[in-house]
Amino acid sequence: MQDKLDMGIENDSAYYFFERAINEEKISAKIQNLNQSLSKLHNKKDSLYPLLLDYKIYYHNRLEEFDSALFFADSLERLATFRKDTNWIALAFYRKAVIHRYLDNQEAVFKNAFESRKHYLQIGDSTKAARRSLEMATAQSRMQDYTGSQESAIEAFRYLNRKKDRQYLSSAHNIIAIAYGNQGFYDDAIKEYKEALRYAQNLEDSLIYQNNIGLVYQDQKKYKKAISVFDKLYRSVSKEDYKSRSRFLDNLAFTKWLKNGNIDVSSELNQALKWRIDQNDDTGKTSSYEHLSYYYKNRNKIKALNYAKKWLETGRKNHNLQAQVEALKYLLGLSPGSTNYTSHYIALSDSLNKMNLRAKNTFAKIRFDEKRKQQQISSLEASAALQAIENQKIKTRNYILMFVAMLTIALAIFIFYYNRQRHKKEKIIEIYNTETRISKKIHDELANDIYNIMSGLEAVVPPKIIDKLESIYSRTRDISRENSKIDTGSGYLKQLVALLSNICPANIRLIISGENNIPWSTINREKKLVIYRVLQELMVNMKKHSKASLVALVFNEENQYLKIHYSDNGIGTAKEAIKNGNGLQNVENRIFSINGTLTFETEKGKGLKILIAIPL
């Protein structure tokens, strides 16, 4: 069975290249095979098509080829919309949200996550709807729309399961805590971080939430508590986890300095920076440069200025406008006469404020538009309901008329079909009766007359004449036997097998198989008569024309059909000759009369194969 499946994949090149793409190690090789699969997939309705687009999105994202990823995400959305496949539509919008997250386009992240959530709600997938709500909340938080972020995170709680979705519950509490912290509600923020810790499913999340608690204590100027948190985290983290160690060491040293500005924490701050440089942690480097610049402000102004410039530079590299604005503001304090910093600060600060305001308005507008759309739908549904009540009587009357018409048509079709089937049966019986009557007449009259003439002339005519008369008599008897009465009762199979054996010459081997497995008692009389005559004609045709040495008849029951496989190793013939020949044409007509089918397979010198299929 597996070999057949493998052959199927090889024959269908689109699936073959898809399988190769899955098994490749390199992403570039995966994409190459996915491209081949797409080029070979001629049927755009194939279920493989959206899957190929989704894989393309994912791997182009991995290679940071975001333009290509967006192109295929748009293609997936259009395809899914055309097919009216809500699940794929929701997934396409989610893929676009992820791409824009990498591009740091938080407004687009929110829009696409919002659309994805809407479609997941339509199909009742509440878990995925909740995840999209969290992505909306994260985008709003990064755009400093903390009120909107809280609303989206709280909305996610409506769809999350307290037992099954602990990871997402943890994330929701973390987002709400960030919003509280940035709005100055520190006690509420700590409470939410502790809830996030309670649901945390892995060590990394747990460390992040504890670190955030320490930062809130730092904002509250509760330096002793903050130091305790950072010190505990620094000592508990693995020595190989330099990214976490650098974060906790940097926060620990900086908090110690905030608590006591006279102590020297330069070695700890520089060690954290070194680890971050080694790990190519650009976000972490921004934080280190910020802390070192503050630390050296009153100790070494040149160093403070140098670190502030690096703070600004890493902010630019990370496309972090907030970090750039804060760095420029700090540089203005260190270099009050710098017009370059002043103009740059004003431009960036204005740009950031406008972007955040636009994002807030956009987020609010998207929600408002959706609510208004739903209200309009509800209003239309209400007016439609009134109209529906008025139309219901008309529809009911029309349904009754349609039902009567359909019933009349169905009855007419049934009568026509019944009469047609009855006519077929009557015709079969009529043919059978005619054949039987002719057989009896040939036997009782013609054959006996020939025999009497032959007996009377035996003494006066030459032996050759007598031999010819005897041949005519034998052929007459054969015709009579061939069209004699058929037992369609319990003796049917026995008579059928005897017929086939008697027709088959002694020098031809006859193989009959499977006949005892057929439920002959359930087959109606008309079909038995046709089967008998058809097989009789096939054997007579074989005897006269095939020059075969082997004949096989295989009976089997399959999918409510009686199937009879005839084959011989004779000289065969051309298919055109079969269509033009009277003998096999009669066979075909008989089979069609009982709604059966007949399939020929022949070629000169390669024998004859026939498949007969009759509904049971």
Side-chain angles (χ1 to χ4, degrees):
M1 182 66 180
Q2 186 61 46
D3 291 341
K4 290 183 180 179
L5 287 173
D6 292 341
M7 286 175 63
I9 291 174
E10 290 177 2
N11 291 335
D12 187 340
S13 57
Y15 282 85
Y16 169 70
F17 284 110
F18 176 64
E19 289 292 329
R20 284 189 59 176
I22 292 173
N23 295 322
E24 288 286 357
E25 293 291 333
K26 293 183 178 179
I27 295 178
S28 58
K30 287 179 179 291
I31 290 177
Q32 186 178 0
N33 279 286
L34 290 171
N35 290 339
Q36 288 278 12
S37 183
L38 278 169
S39 69
K40 300 293 182 183
L41 195 65
H42 302 300
N43 184 5
K44 301 304 182 184
K45 294 182 179 180
D46 197 303
S47 59
L48 181 63
Y49 192 37
L51 192 61
L52 286 171
L53 294 176
D54 192 39
Y55 271 79
K56 286 278 290 177
I57 298 164
Y58 176 76
Y59 288 117
H60 281 299
N61 231 9
R62 289 275 301 276
L63 293 177
E64 297 185 0
E65 296 172 351
F66 301 121
D67 287 342
S68 296
L70 276 174
F71 172 80
F72 287 106
D74 288 335
S75 298
L76 179 59
E77 182 201 338
R78 286 193 299 271
L79 174 69
T81 302
F82 176 75
R83 291 186 177 185
K84 297 181 180 179
D85 189 327
T86 308
N87 187 62
W88 277 113
I89 294 172
L91 185 62
F93 279 116
Y94 167 62
R95 295 297 188 217
K96 288 201 278 188
V98 172
I99 297 165
H100 285 294
R101 186 198 307 154
Y102 283 111
L103 295 170
D104 197 31
N105 186 351
Q106 302 305 324
E107 187 176 328
V109 172
F110 180 89
K111 287 180 179 179
N112 285 286
F114 181 87
E115 286 295 323
S116 180
R117 183 182 70 93
K118 182 173 70 176
H119 286 90
Y120 277 126
L121 287 174
Q122 288 176 7
I123 59 176
D125 193 335
S126 57
T127 299
K128 288 181 181 176
R131 296 178 193 177
R132 303 299 85 84
S133 292
L134 292 177
E135 284 149 15
M136 290 160 55
T138 302
Q140 289 170 291
S141 179
R142 289 175 179 172
M143 297 296 289
Q144 299 183 13
D145 178 13
Y146 299 116
T147 302
S149 175
Q150 280 182 299
E151 289 178 4
S152 296
I154 290 169
E155 189 175 24
F157 283 124
R158 294 170 51 193
Y159 310 116
L160 292 172
N161 185 296
R162 293 281 169 180
K163 293 182 179 179
K164 295 180 181 178
D165 301 321
R166 295 180 65 85
Q167 178 183 349
Y168 301 104
L169 286 166
S170 176
S171 179
H173 282 294
N174 181 57
I175 291 169
I176 294 170
I178 291 171
Y180 275 136
N182 281 283
Q183 294 175 92
F185 303 114
Y186 299 122
D187 291 336
D188 292 315
I190 289 174
K191 180 182 176 182
E192 290 296 325
Y193 280 130
K194 287 181 178 179
E195 283 295 302
L197 267 173
R198 189 162 69 92
Y199 289 106
Q201 296 294 290
N202 55 65
L203 179 61
E204 182 180 359
D205 286 346
S206 177
L207 294 175
I208 289 171
Y209 302 152
Q210 291 179 70
N211 182 71
N212 288 346
I213 290 172
L215 292 174
V216 173
Y217 284 139
Q218 187 187 89
D219 289 336
Q220 289 180 301
K221 302 187 186 310
K222 295 180 179 179
Y223 299 125
K224 189 174 180 180
K225 284 188 174 183
I227 290 168
S228 175
V229 170
F230 295 135
D231 184 56
K232 182 180 177 182
L233 287 171
Y234 180 68
R235 285 186 288 104
S236 65
V237 76
S238 168
K239 290 185 177 181
E240 304 300 321
D241 186 0
Y242 290 105
K243 188 172 182 179
S244 296
R245 289 183 73 194
S246 60
R247 180 192 300 126
F248 303 143
L249 179 60
D250 183 59
N251 286 335
L252 174 62
F254 189 66
T255 308
K256 285 180 178 179
W257 174 77
L258 288 174
K259 183 174 181 291
N260 181 1
N262 295 319
I263 64 172
D264 183 3
V265 293
S266 59
S267 61
E268 290 95 327
L269 292 174
N270 279 295
Q271 180 62 66
L273 175 60
K274 182 180 181 305
W275 283 337
R276 282 169 164 168
I277 292 171
D278 291 342
Q279 295 295 310
N280 198 26
D281 180 4
D282 289 331
T283 302
K285 283 190 285 185
T286 304
S287 181
S288 279
Y289 291 138
E290 178 186 357
H291 290 169
L292 282 163
S293 184
Y294 276 113
Y295 173 74
Y296 280 111
K297 182 177 182 181
N298 297 321
R299 293 171 181 264
N300 188 326
K301 190 173 181 180
I302 294 175
K303 281 188 175 183
L305 189 63
N306 183 46
Y307 282 124
K309 289 177 181 179
K310 289 183 177 181
W311 176 10
L312 176 62
E313 184 183 339
T314 54
R316 287 172 181 163
K317 187 176 180 180
N318 297 337
H319 306 287
N320 189 334
L321 281 179
Q322 187 66 37
Q324 292 177 64
V325 169
E326 290 175 359
L328 284 167
K329 183 179 180 180
Y330 185 74
L331 281 166
L332 284 172
L334 292 175
S335 308
S338 176
T339 56
N340 183 43
Y341 289 145
T342 303
S343 60
H344 197 184
Y345 170 75
I346 292 171
L348 271 184
S349 180
D350 185 53
S351 175
L352 181 62
N353 289 333
K354 285 181 178 179
M355 187 174 66
N356 290 342
L357 180 61
R358 187 187 68 189
K360 291 177 184 179
N361 292 335
T362 300
F363 300 154
K365 184 179 183 301
I366 290 171
R367 289 185 178 277
F368 174 76
D369 287 347
E370 184 64 21
K371 286 180 181 178
R372 185 171 61 180
K373 181 180 175 182
Q374 293 302 322
Q375 287 172 352
Q376 289 174 345
I377 291 171
S378 298
S379 177
L380 288 172
E381 286 176 348
S383 60
L386 292 173
Q387 185 64 38
I389 293 171
E390 295 177 7
N391 293 337
Q392 190 60 44
K393 291 181 181 179
I394 299 172
K395 284 185 178 181
T396 303
R397 185 186 64 191
N398 290 340
Y399 287 149
I400 292 171
L401 291 173
M402 286 174 61
F403 176 75
V404 171
M406 290 174 66
L407 188 63
T408 304
I409 293 169
L411 184 60
I413 292 171
F414 172 77
I415 293 171
F416 171 78
Y417 179 78
Y418 174 78
N419 288 333
R420 185 179 177 185
Q421 292 301 110
R422 187 179 67 177
H423 176 69
K424 282 185 177 181
K425 289 181 180 181
E426 289 173 351
K427 190 174 180 181
I428 292 168
I429 297 300
E430 183 182 345
I431 292 170
Y432 168 70
N433 290 334
T434 302
E435 290 171 343
T436 305
R437 187 174 63 254
I438 293 171
S439 171
K440 190 173 186 304
K441 198 170 185 69
I442 290 172
H443 179 273
D444 293 346
E445 298 178 15
L446 183 59
N448 287 339
D449 288 347
I450 293 172
Y451 182 78
N452 291 331
I453 291 170
M454 185 175 64
S455 300
L457 295 175
E458 190 172 2
V460 294
V461 298
K464 287 184 178 180
I465 300 297
I466 296 298
D467 289 343
K468 287 183 179 180
L469 286 171
E470 189 173 355
S471 175
I472 293 170
Y473 173 73
S474 297
R475 279 154 44 204
T476 306
R477 291 290 300 272
D478 287 344
I479 293 171
S480 175
R481 279 195 297 269
E482 286 173 6
N483 295 280
S484 60
K485 189 175 181 181
I486 301 170
D487 181 1
T488 56
S490 59
Y492 176 76
L493 180 58
K494 186 176 180 181
Q495 185 178 356
L496 178 64
V497 173
L499 166 80
L500 300 174
S501 300
N502 289 334
I503 296 175
C504 189
N507 64 333
I508 298 177
R509 185 183 177 192
L510 174 64
I511 298 174
I512 303 175
S513 173
E515 74 280 7
N516 292 317
N517 298 326
I518 304 302
W520 295 106
S521 61
T522 63
I523 300 175
N524 66 38
R525 183 187 180 208
E526 292 77 18
K527 289 180 181 178
K528 286 182 178 178
L529 293 174
V530 169
I531 293 167
Y532 190 96
R533 292 301 187 206
V534 164
L535 294 181
Q536 184 180 39
E537 289 195 43
L538 288 178
M539 292 298 291
V540 169
N541 186 73
M542 175 275 299
K543 182 179 177 180
K544 289 180 179 178
H545 308 295
S546 75
K547 298 181 181 179
S549 61
L550 177 65
V551 179
L553 280 165
V554 179
F555 297 77
N556 72 294
E557 183 185 359
E558 183 180 332
N559 297 327
Q560 299 298 311
Y561 273 83
L562 165 60
K563 292 191 176 181
I564 305 171
H565 300 260
Y566 169 91
S567 62
D568 66 44
N569 64 348
I571 59 174
T573 185
K575 289 187 177 180
E576 292 75 15
I578 289 176
K579 292 180 179 179
N580 297 328
N582 290 329
L584 291 178
Q585 188 65 51
N586 290 337
V587 168
E588 196 170 43
N589 290 338
R590 288 182 188 268
I591 290 298
F592 290 164
S593 71
I594 55 172
N595 300 321
T597 60
L598 198 68
T599 306
F600 294 95
E601 183 180 331
T602 184
E603 192 176 335
K604 277 193 173 182
K606 294 187 178 181
L608 174 65
K609 292 181 181 178
I610 300 174
L611 171 61
I612 300 169
I614 299 168
L616 294 175

